[in-house]
Amino acid sequence: MSLQSPSRSTAFVLSLVVLLLSAVAAIAISLDRDRKQTALKESQATAVSFVNGAEAAINRSLLGVDVLLASTDQLLGLSGQMRDWIDPVAASALMQKAMRQNLLIDRVTLLDAAGENVASSEPSELGVRSAVPMEFIKNVMNQPVSLLMVSSPDTSFRSSQTMLHMGRHIRLADGSSLIVVADVPVSQLRAILIQGASIAGLQATIERGNGELLVEAPARGQLVGRLLSPPLATLPPADQARAMPARLDGSPASVVVRNLLYGGIFVTASIPVASALQDWKHEAWLINVLALSMAAAILAAGGFSLWHLSRLHAAQANISKAQQTLAQALESMVSGFVLLDASQRVLTWNRRFVELHPWLAGRVRSGEPFRTLVEATAVASIPEADAADRRQWVDQRMALLQGPFEARQVIGPDGTNLEVVERPTPDGGTVIVYQDVTRLHRAIADVEMLAFYDPLTGLPNRRLLNDRLQQSIIASLRTGRHGALLFLDLDHFKTLNDTAGHDTGDVLLQQVAQRLKTCVREEDTVARLGGDEFVVMLQSLSASPQEAATQARKVGETILSSLNKPYLLNGNDYHSGGSLGATLFGKTHQDAADLLKQADIAMYQVKNTGRNALCFFDPNMLATITARADTERALRQALDLQQLVLYYQIQVAAHGRPVGAEVLLRWKHPENGMVLPGQFIGLAEETGLILPIGEWVLRSACQQLKQWETNLKASALQLAVNVSARQLRSPGFVQLVSRIVAETGIQPRLLKLELTESMVLDNINDTIATMQQLKALGVRFSIDDFGTGYSSLAYLTRLPLDQLKIDQSFVRNIGQQASDSAVIDTIIGLARSLGLEVIAEGVETTAQRDFLAQHGCERCQGYLFGKPVPITEFEAALPPVTPSAY
């Protein structure tokens, strides 16, 4: 630009300053107006969104109350009864149980026309006149058809809370009526209404068409029950927000009204204009400050330009650079945008817009009608459609440019999820922004998958199963058709995990899941609870329990058959099975947790009786398990409460000479009396209680041996203590025995540990190692119940034994079965050949004693010589010491 004369330059600069100041003012005004409109529209959209959610939540809550009240007739069988037939206590118990399923309700009462309590979820109120207003009772009674009615707000004398009474009438067999009323705290409805929303200035209400206020948020207790103006029933219907006074404080506001499912009741949301424009005012102040700053800068630049026209080229360079920066900023946006003029022609766009619409590459140009681009998009989106359908699709898309301008989501031809936001410009044009939300949708889907599905198998997890099971229980009660729950536990799955690794176990679980899904119908549910536990829920079975059980058994057998087929794991065939427990539901209302427990109990019954089978739940199983749990709990306390006692049974040699005793455990139960070990030792083994009990028995026996050292009649006696398999295999058993022997200071040779054949032969090498360590301490060993197992002579020669004990089953048949006598003779000969002592238990007759003595067994134990007795009786029965006694 060449320099001009001073006057012309001055006029040019002044004209340019005026023009720029006008532009700044116009832009500021436009932005200010646009932001104000945007704030108001966003406020309206917020109110609509809130009301939509509140409407659904309140409808769902009222429907839950209505369903509970409507089901009271069926729950109490009222339509088949007369007033005097109703058992208030039983009915109250049922109503109390039903009410607990709905956390919204504070109390449920069954009233007659006079307002007397017939039954109540609060049994203490039986026989007391109800506080429900009589006018409300009459209105409910006078309904030609039983529908849910809602009372005016009422203060509860019991809790001082503001309540809404919701009631229905129920016809009895004699034509008279009762009403069932649910008391719902207004505070509960307020919490549901507000939904945790945090919206500035929000005023939400639930009110009748005549303007009576039932619930308000925020809480303004003095307004509840009053008539608001204007009545909502007088307003014309509208889906969007309307400009009118706020319902609570009357200030100018955007108000959205929705009619609830129950006629005559509305939910509203009011957002005052002042609250909606609060942020806008701050933005307007910033815009004005910015505009003034720009104006000052323009004036300064103009004045400076008058004196320094030579700087004009530098200013132009700066403007050019700013334009390039703006263009670069637009091109680097993560959102695509296109700007249209008032004639819906393309003004400008960015690179991201073309990336999101690759089929428009080469078609987008300045001045191009936007309809042309939409037609190209129709070809890419619905290629199979004919010309008429495409034209209709294009017309619908172009109609969106006329408003309402709301964010919406579309799916592109390539499956991309796009959020499209359209906003009008002050000059009548439109700016359209495209945001790729595909990742957001996937993240939401992933969160839902993690919350409700098992990540390994893709099956529903425990949370989703419980939800579906609860729904199925309700559906079964409504339709009368049974359902079934099958609880599956894979057999020997832990062994596979331990030997082949968890990765292989996971592959098996995935294959099991696929097989289970092929065994059921689409409406049934297969879920994984965790580990190797699966649950199959069958719905819509027969109304007959017998037929339903047959149908469930058929599915269970199909499952077992499918699971028994070989699996391919790491290139190898693997065979597995499962144990199935089953239970039916649908006859009465049952809790989902109780049904799972029943199926679980039935499954463990299968585990205990051989595995790979199906068993239906029997109430006796629960009784057995409960009794077992009670026994286990009492047994855990028995040691601390000193309920366990030791009995002693004498062991004799030739001529009845005492040589020792066997320690026998008894449980002195406070309720069941003296309990023999056969009734609780097995349970102690399974639960691990045998370890502390066994330690106590061993320590008590050693302490008794120590006491006998000063008793001439007992100082030479040996004490035999039975040791269980779990004790023998516990890691610290040798150290435990060594410590007790050292602490009590006994002679180890007087302590004899009795082991069974099966215990010794199971894991023989470890058993021998343990026995040798104890043998080194001086402790003696005896094989108990010898002859009942399948001992190998080779094993016996390796064991550091001192004694064989002939089982009483052989002794009992002496003189009756020649084979048992032969076995006894063989055992005695075997002991003699191995250099071991031999003792017979269960000797009850002199004939048995004489037979044993004749064949070389002089040591005996049995009722012939003495029963198991407490220590005082045992010591008192010992013969006096004579010079030849020992």
Side-chain angles (χ1 to χ4, degrees), residues 344 371 392-405 408 422:
Q344 298 178 355
R371 185 180 183 91
Q392 182 181 7
W393 191 91
V394 171
D395 291 341
Q396 292 173 349
R397 173 65 185 90
M398 296 300 293
L400 295 174
L401 298 178
Q402 309 303 320
F405 298 103
R408 54 191 173 81
E422 296 160 328

Side-chain angles (χ1 to χ4, degrees), residues 270-487:
S270 306
I271 299 181
V273 172
S275 298
L277 296 180
Q278 186 172 0
D279 291 339
W280 167 81
K281 290 179 180 178
H282 179 68
E283 292 176 359
W285 181 84
L286 290 177
I287 291 173
N288 291 333
V289 169
L290 181 61
L292 290 174
S293 299
M294 292 181 66
I298 292 171
L299 290 173
F304 188 73
S305 297
L306 291 174
W307 297 93
H308 303 281
L309 290 176
S310 61
R311 296 290 186 100
L312 182 58
H313 294 292
Q316 290 176 338
N318 290 335
I319 294 173
S320 177
K321 184 177 180 180
Q323 290 175 340
Q324 292 176 0
T325 302
L326 177 61
Q328 291 173 357
L330 293 177
E331 288 300 314
S332 62
M333 288 176 60
V334 295
S335 300
F337 87 97
V338 60
L339 178 64
L340 309 180
D341 61 14
S343 300
Q344 298 178 355
R345 293 180 178 274
V346 175
L347 290 177
T348 187
W349 67 97
N350 68 350
R351 175 177 50 81
R352 183 59 175 160
F353 171 74
V354 178
E355 290 176 351
L356 294 175
H357 303 83
W359 55 89
L360 297 180
R363 292 175 175 265
V364 186
R365 58 182 63 88
S366 182
E368 183 77 15
F370 187 64
R371 185 180 183 91
T372 303
L373 303 183
V374 175
E375 289 172 347
T377 301
V379 174
S381 300
I382 48 174
E384 71 285 353
D386 56 24
D389 290 338
R390 288 177 184 167
R391 186 164 48 254
Q392 182 181 7
W393 191 91
V394 171
D395 291 341
Q396 292 173 349
R397 173 65 185 90
M398 296 300 293
L400 295 174
L401 298 178
Q402 309 303 320
F405 298 103
E406 298 176 348
R408 54 191 173 81
Q409 293 191 8
V410 298
I411 299 179
D414 56 354
T416 302
N417 286 282
L418 297 178
E419 182 179 70
V420 183
V421 180
E422 296 160 328
R423 291 287 183 268
T425 60
D427 58 358
T430 307
V431 60
I432 309 174
V433 179
Y434 298 84
Q435 180 72 36
D436 187 349
V437 294
T438 305
R439 290 186 178 179
L440 176 62
H441 278 248
R442 290 173 181 169
I444 293 173
D446 289 343
V447 170
E448 183 176 350
M449 187 71 179
L450 290 174
F452 295 104
Y453 290 88
D454 172 47
L456 176 63
T457 62
L459 296 177
N461 60 13
R462 184 186 293 271
R463 179 184 296 177
L464 184 54
L465 172 66
N466 284 334
D467 181 68
R468 291 186 181 180
L469 180 54
Q470 202 64 49
Q471 295 179 21
S472 185
I473 292 171
I474 296 173
S476 294
L477 290 173
R478 185 177 64 252
T479 63
R481 302 179 71 87
H482 286 80
L485 212 59
L486 305 180
F487 197 111

Side-chain angles (χ1 to χ4, degrees), residues 28 53 84 130 143 195 256 332 339 502 597 768 826-827 833 847:
D84 296 337
S130 171
Q143 289 185 101
Q195 309 171 69
V256 182
S332 62
L339 178 64
H502 289 275
K597 180 179 179 181
I768 291 174
T826 302
I827 294 173
S833 66

Side-chain angles (χ1 to χ4, degrees), residues 728 733-735 737-738 748 753 755 760 763-783 794-802:
L728 185 66
F733 183 66
V734 173
Q735 292 78 6
V737 176
S738 177
L753 302 182
L755 314 174
V760 169
N763 199 352
I764 183 70
N765 292 328
D766 290 346
T767 301
I768 291 174
T770 300
M771 292 177 66
Q772 288 176 341
Q773 294 180 62
L774 293 173
K775 188 70 174 177
L777 296 175
V779 176
R780 296 164 59 84
F781 287 98
S782 174
I783 292 292
Y795 287 147
L796 286 176
T797 59
R798 295 174 57 193
L799 295 171
L801 296 174
D802 298 283

